[in-house]
């Protein structure tokens, strides 16, 4: 059986954060992307793909992630934002991919247990297109897209993105109750990082990882 792909989305412009989110680190200095890659490999996702902003230095990130089998891409359609990153990531995958586990860089709190829940739910319900954790009535991250839903993405970027797509196809959406409030956390600003970790954000150095 083919494995689900794992896509880390880190291609946003990061205006509110002030530095590229792709460079964010945990308080112990571990880059978000390294820990996320490790967990995707642990739950047997493959391929594992990292979508970076255009100013990222691909060879530097390759060295950072060595020896993990990670494919790196850029968002071909930045005007489509998240959808553009997903479409770019799918180009790195085979056509028989059962689906894609999508993990935004600014939502780094998922556990292997949650990733496995999403993968198991998707594999057991292939007719359902979208799965996400739910906490107190709100959907969180990461989320899983089944193969049955992927063909809807090609026009979604120009038609309001993933949220509008979910409203258009409610029968294809499944929210999984998950008792962990941090699935709702999005680290969009230094203040968000401070609230989550009780300290100012830590980043990889802009050089050599990004070019001006």
């Amino acid at each position: 059986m083919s494995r689900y792909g794992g896509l880390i989305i880190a291609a946003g412009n990061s205006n509110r954060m002030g530095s590229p989110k792709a460079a964010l680190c945990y308080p112990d200095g571990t880059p978000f992307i390294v820990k996320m890659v490790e967990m995707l490999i642990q739950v047997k996702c493959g391929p594992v793909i990292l979508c970076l902003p255009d100013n990222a230095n691909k060879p530097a990130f390759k060295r950072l992630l060595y020896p993990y089998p990670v494919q790196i891409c850029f968002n071909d359609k930045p005007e489509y934002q998240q959808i553009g990153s997903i479409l770019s990531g799918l180009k790195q995958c085979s056509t028989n991919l059962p689906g894609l586990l999508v993990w935004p860089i600014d939502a780094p709190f998922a556990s292997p247990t949650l990733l496995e829940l999403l993968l198991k739910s998707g594999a057991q319900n292939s007719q359902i297109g979208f799965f996400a954790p739910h906490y107190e009535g709100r959907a969180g991250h990461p989320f899983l897209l089944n193969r049955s839903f992927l063909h809807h993405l090609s026009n979604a970027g120009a038609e309001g993105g993933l949220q509008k797509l979910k409203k258009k196809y409610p029968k294809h959406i499944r929210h999984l109750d998950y008792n962990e409030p941090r699935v709702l956390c999005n680290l969009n600003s230094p203040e968000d990082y401070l609230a989550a970790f009780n300290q100012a954000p830590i980043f990889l150095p802009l050089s050599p990882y990004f070019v001006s």
Side-chain angles (χ1 to χ4, degrees):
M1 179 184 294
S2 297
R3 295 186 294 172
Y4 279 82
L7 172 64
I8 300 169
I9 296 178
N13 56 29
S14 306
N15 288 337
R16 291 173 59 191
M17 184 60 74
S19 289
K21 291 182 184 178
L24 277 167
C25 299
Y26 294 97
D28 67 0
T30 303
F32 282 9
I33 56 173
V34 170
K35 185 67 174 177
M36 293 162 83
V37 163
E38 289 176 344
M39 279 199 273
L40 289 171
I41 292 172
Q42 178 182 340
V43 299
K44 297 181 169 50
C45 283
V48 173
I49 306 150
L50 172 63
C51 189
L52 291 169
D54 287 343
N55 66 333
N57 182 354
K58 185 175 179 178
F61 277 93
K62 279 281 191 183
R63 289 191 295 271
L64 175 69
L65 293 168
Y66 178 83
Y68 301 116
V70 180
Q71 300 180 32
I72 293 177
C73 69
F74 299 99
N75 187 345
D76 295 335
K77 294 184 178 294
E79 68 276 16
Y80 288 179
Q81 300 180 349
Q82 187 179 73
I83 291 289
S85 291
I86 296 172
L87 293 173
S88 298
L90 284 171
K91 291 180 180 179
Q92 312 297 314
C93 303
S94 66
T95 55
N96 65 344
L97 187 82
L100 194 64
L101 183 59
V102 181
W103 197 353
I105 190 71
D106 54 10
F109 299 111
S111 65
T113 300
L114 174 55
L115 302 185
E116 289 171 346
L117 174 64
L118 290 165
L119 292 166
K120 181 179 179 180
S121 299
Q124 292 178 343
N125 301 275
S126 59
Q127 77 282 6
I128 302 295
F130 178 97
F131 294 84
H134 224 225
Y135 179 78
E136 293 189 348
R138 297 170 61 194
H141 294 96
F143 58 88
L144 184 137
L145 299 170
N146 256 336
R147 185 177 180 178
S148 60
F149 202 66
L150 296 178
H151 68 280
H152 293 302
L153 298 177
S154 56
N155 296 321
E159 297 177 355
L162 198 56
Q163 293 304 318
K164 190 168 183 179
L165 194 62
K166 288 161 60 179
K167 292 179 181 178
K168 187 175 181 180
Y169 299 102
K171 293 182 180 179
H172 292 269
I173 309 305
R174 178 75 54 83
H175 290 132
L176 307 172
D177 289 334
Y178 197 74
N179 191 28
E180 171 52 71
R182 293 201 300 177
V183 300
L184 304 179
C185 287
N186 289 310
L187 305 183
N188 292 315
S189 67
E191 291 77 18
D192 292 336
Y193 188 104
L194 177 64
F197 295 113
N198 200 32
Q199 69 170 63
I202 298 174
F203 299 91
L204 292 168
L206 293 183
S207 176
Y209 293 102
F210 297 90
V211 295
S212 55

